[in-house]
Amino acid sequence: MGYYAPFPHPAVALEDVSVRLGGLQILDSVSIAAPRGAVTGLIGPNGAGKTTVFNVMSGFVPADSGSVVLNGQHVHHVRPQQLTRRGVARTLQGVGLFPSLTVLDNVMMGAPTRFGVIADALAMPWVDRERRQMEERAREALVSLGIEGESSRLPSELPYPVQKRVALARALVSDPSVLLLDEPAGGIGEADMQDLERLIRSSVPDRTVVLVEHHMELVMAVCDFIWVLDAGQVIASGTPDQIRSDPAVLAAYLGEEGAA
Amino acid sequence: MTSFIDYVLGGFGSGMIIALMALALVLTWRATRVVNFAQVGQAMFTTFIALSLQTLTGSWVIALVGAMVAGALLGVIVQYLVLRPVKRADTSGAIIATFGVLIALQAAAGMIWGGDSRAYPQPFGNTAITLFGREWPVSAYDLVVVGFAVILVVGLTLLFTRTNLGLAMRATAFNPEVARLSGIRVGRTLTIGWALAGIVGAVAGVLVAPTSAISPNSFDILLVFAFTAAVIGGLDSLIGAVALGIGTGLILSVVSGYSDSSNAPVVALVLLAVNLVLKPEGVFGHHKARSV
């Protein structure tokens, strides 16, 4: 619980969360917190439990014990379909795009809808209006990521880094106050990396960003605060400078890079 | 002498029925990745309900609407009570479970309405249309069937392409996890898919009943034809199901015309086998088939 102390009113947090899956202890009394309006990194070697932290935050994996804070509120039972309405958006490892939907439709999927099935099926005028607004917002998101020219293409026709941008646009289209990014730098080149760095830094302080990432240069460059997981436990937390020089982190995770 | 063109035209009405039933199979497949072999059983059951309503009210329209409502409800019930719990454990188990539902529905229908074939009243003229001085193998009723099929296909296409619900259904079919993250209530969307399939199947049942008869097993052969059309069409494609459904109807009509109608199921299975060897992903399928 000591690691949780720095942020008394976090935007996102796990409080003493444990998860057991298939006989393995994936998370063991994990308490982490992300302050509002900052970029918080979550790092650790493969299998440390980083994605499970995101899965608990987004309701894909239920916590055996402990509680979750989302957008400043304690949530007892997190449901993935309620995330966007709570102002939380998440990207997935890889891209997670819908292969048969165009780029524009994929991005529109990220915008929450207000109206029910029946109004929708009957194509009521207000549903139409909302749909047009969704489309406009989706186009704006595409413009902000520099891929507006790809709106009618299918994901499979695009290079991987562009697909990653589409996934980001889908997360941003709901204008979330909390953005959970799961390995956004995976498989992209240097130029895209710089754009990503700018995008993340320009998101704060309007948004709260939580970043799971292996790319240490990016993590150290963009994060205000970092939590380090190893084997399902928090082993360190602090600013990038503190993490760089933390002996436990160097031993568990940054050992080789730290020595280099 | 009946010409080739007459045989082809004669297959159009039955082709539309096959297309509708194939459409129902594709809808459940798209929603839950399960081929619902109980679809014809549900259609049979709702057609018996329609027959009871028709007998009671004398109205073909009330009977049809009743069957559609019952079809939606039955789709929801089967998906909710059988598919959800079984599929959580295993997809192939879910497919077997649909066979179980088919047998249960046939047994239930036998207990309620009896095992004998019953005639379903013909709502519109069933005599051949005369045009340009000759008689064509198409009746006014065939045109009604075609009209209904066109309305359903256009309606479903608009639903899938122009509405948020359609977008949600397409998204859920491909990636339920991401769909959930996008705020979609996946469970409800799947249920709506089954309800829609139930409605389409119910319409197919009521439309086909006057041209054959209705008994607990009378739609079994329709399953063979519709399954053939849906699989060759690519199983994922609404257009594929309709195109191949009509195509299957036409081919079977020609086969029945030149040989014997009992050869039709054999030809359907041969078509299916040839398709699975040459183009297993289907004519309109997007995905590469899994080879073993």
Side-chain angles (χ1 to χ4, degrees):
Chain A
M1 289 297 276
Y3 289 111
Y4 183 60
F7 311 114
H9 301 292
V12 187
L14 296 191
E15 294 176 355
D16 215 10
V17 164
S18 294
V19 171
R20 241 182 126 74
L21 288 174
L24 291 172
Q25 192 75 42
I26 309 293
L27 297 180
D28 186 6
S29 298
V30 168
S31 292
I32 59 172
R36 193 170 287 284
V39 181
T40 302
L42 187 55
I43 63 171
N46 282 328
K50 307 181 294 289
T51 294
T52 305
V53 166
F54 267 17
N55 284 341
V56 171
M57 286 175 179
S58 43
F60 286 131
V61 172
D64 296 329
S65 60
S67 62
V68 180
V69 174
L70 277 181
N71 212 359
Q73 291 178 315
H74 274 87
V75 183
H76 292 295
H77 189 63
V78 187
R79 294 172 194 274
Q81 62 267 31
Q82 291 174 345
L83 284 185
T84 48
R85 256 166 253 145
R86 290 184 182 277
V88 181
R90 176 191 170 174
T91 66
L92 295 168
Q93 268 180 36
V95 288
L97 297 174
F98 302 109
S100 69
L101 301 189
T102 63
V103 164
L104 184 68
D105 281 345
N106 260 291
V107 176
M108 279 172 70
M109 289 301 307
T113 53
R114 282 179 299 142
F115 300 114
V117 171
I118 297 191
D120 186 31
L122 294 176
M124 301 311 266
W126 53 89
V127 180
D128 244 18
R129 211 173 310 132
E130 185 194 47
R131 200 174 153 77
R132 278 199 299 277
Q133 286 167 356
M134 275 166 67
E135 189 177 324
E136 203 174 303
R137 276 161 55 190
R139 287 191 191 282
E140 283 168 11
L142 289 173
V143 169
S144 72
L145 286 158
I147 48 172
E148 65 275 20
E150 319 290 357
S151 62
S152 55
R153 308 271 291 273
L154 290 175
S156 58
E157 300 167 0
L158 302 170
Y160 189 76
V162 180
Q163 293 184 30
K164 292 286 268 192
R165 284 178 189 237
V166 177
L168 264 176
R170 184 174 60 196
L172 290 171
V173 74
S174 61
D175 194 19
S177 41
V178 174
L179 190 55
L180 309 177
L181 299 176
D182 198 348
E183 297 192 14
I188 67 175
E190 200 48 47
D192 288 297
M193 195 74 78
Q194 285 172 10
D195 284 349
L196 179 64
E197 194 179 317
R198 268 196 297 275
L199 175 91
I200 293 173
R201 279 318 307 177
S202 65
S203 299
V204 291
D206 295 340
R207 302 185 210 285
T208 303
V209 179
V210 186
L211 173 71
V212 164
E213 187 51 70
H214 279 297
H215 197 283
M216 276 310 124
E217 260 179 61
L218 179 74
V219 171
M220 294 300 169
V222 299
C223 289
D224 299 298
F225 198 86
I226 296 172
W227 298 86
V228 188
L229 280 178
D230 188 25
Q233 290 183 317
V234 175
I235 59 163
S237 69
T239 63
D241 283 341
Q242 289 170 329
I243 293 300
R244 262 195 209 103
S245 53
D246 190 306
V249 179
L250 291 174
Y253 181 57
L254 293 175
E256 291 164 32
E257 286 182 38
Chain B
M1 197 182 110
T2 316
S3 70
F4 176 75
I5 292 180
D6 287 325
Y7 287 137
V8 171
L9 284 176
F12 216 73
S14 57
M16 278 295 181
I17 305 277
I18 296 171
L20 286 182
M21 197 53 85
L23 205 55
L25 291 177
V26 166
L27 283 171
T28 48
W29 169 262
R30 282 170 68 115
T32 43
R33 300 284 141 185
V34 168
V35 176
N36 179 18
F37 288 107
Q39 198 75 63
V40 287
Q42 291 168 233
M44 172 275 299
F45 205 83
T46 54
T47 307
F48 265 120
I49 291 173
L51 182 60
S52 301
L53 283 172
Q54 168 106 31
T55 314
L56 208 64
T57 65
S59 163
W60 184 76
V61 175
I62 291 178
L64 176 68
V65 172
M68 289 167 78
V69 172
L73 283 176
L74 202 51
V76 171
I77 290 169
V78 172
Q79 197 263 339
Y80 213 84
L81 292 186
V82 183
L83 258 289
R84 260 196 199 191
V86 176
K87 189 156 189 283
R88 214 168 284 149
D90 175 24
T91 296
S92 45
I95 296 168
I96 304 293
T98 67
F99 269 117
V101 173
L102 175 63
I103 294 166
L105 284 171
Q106 287 175 336
M111 281 188 265
I112 300 169
W113 293 286
D116 300 331
S117 279
R118 294 207 207 176
Y120 197 98
Q122 188 80 37
F124 303 97
N126 198 26
T127 49
I129 288 175
T130 309
L131 203 65
F132 305 121
R134 69 160 282 188
E135 213 172 63
W136 299 85
V138 176
S139 67
Y141 184 68
D142 285 333
L143 296 181
V144 170
V145 171
V146 172
F148 266 102
V150 170
I151 290 169
L152 276 177
V153 171
V154 170
L156 283 172
T157 307
L158 288 176
L159 180 78
F160 272 103
T161 55
R162 300 285 174 86
T163 68
N164 293 332
L165 172 64
L167 197 56
M169 289 177 80
R170 284 154 69 204
T172 304
F174 281 104
N175 199 334
E177 197 173 75
V178 184
R180 257 192 200 105
L181 276 183
S182 306
I184 294 169
R185 291 170 67 179
V186 167
R188 195 179 68 174
T189 308
L190 300 183
T191 305
I192 291 171
W194 275 68
L196 277 178
I199 292 171
V200 175
V203 173
V206 171
L207 290 178
V208 76
T211 62
S212 55
I214 170 87
S215 75
N217 293 91
S218 60
F219 290 170
D220 289 1
I221 197 66
L222 186 57
L223 176 65
V224 176
F225 298 150
F227 181 68
T228 302
V231 170
I232 300 180
L235 215 47
D236 243 336
S237 162
L238 298 180
I239 297 170
V242 174
L244 268 297
I246 296 169
T248 307
L250 301 184
I251 290 171
L252 298 181
S253 174
V254 172
V255 169
S256 306
Y258 283 112
S259 62
D260 188 276
S261 62
S262 61
N263 290 332
V266 180
V267 171
L269 293 174
V270 169
L271 286 175
L272 187 60
V274 169
N275 168 75
L276 289 178
V277 172
L278 296 182
K279 201 163 166 49
E281 71 275 23
V283 178
F284 291 80
H286 295 298
H287 297 283
K288 193 131 183 65
R290 189 176 50 172
S291 49
V292 285

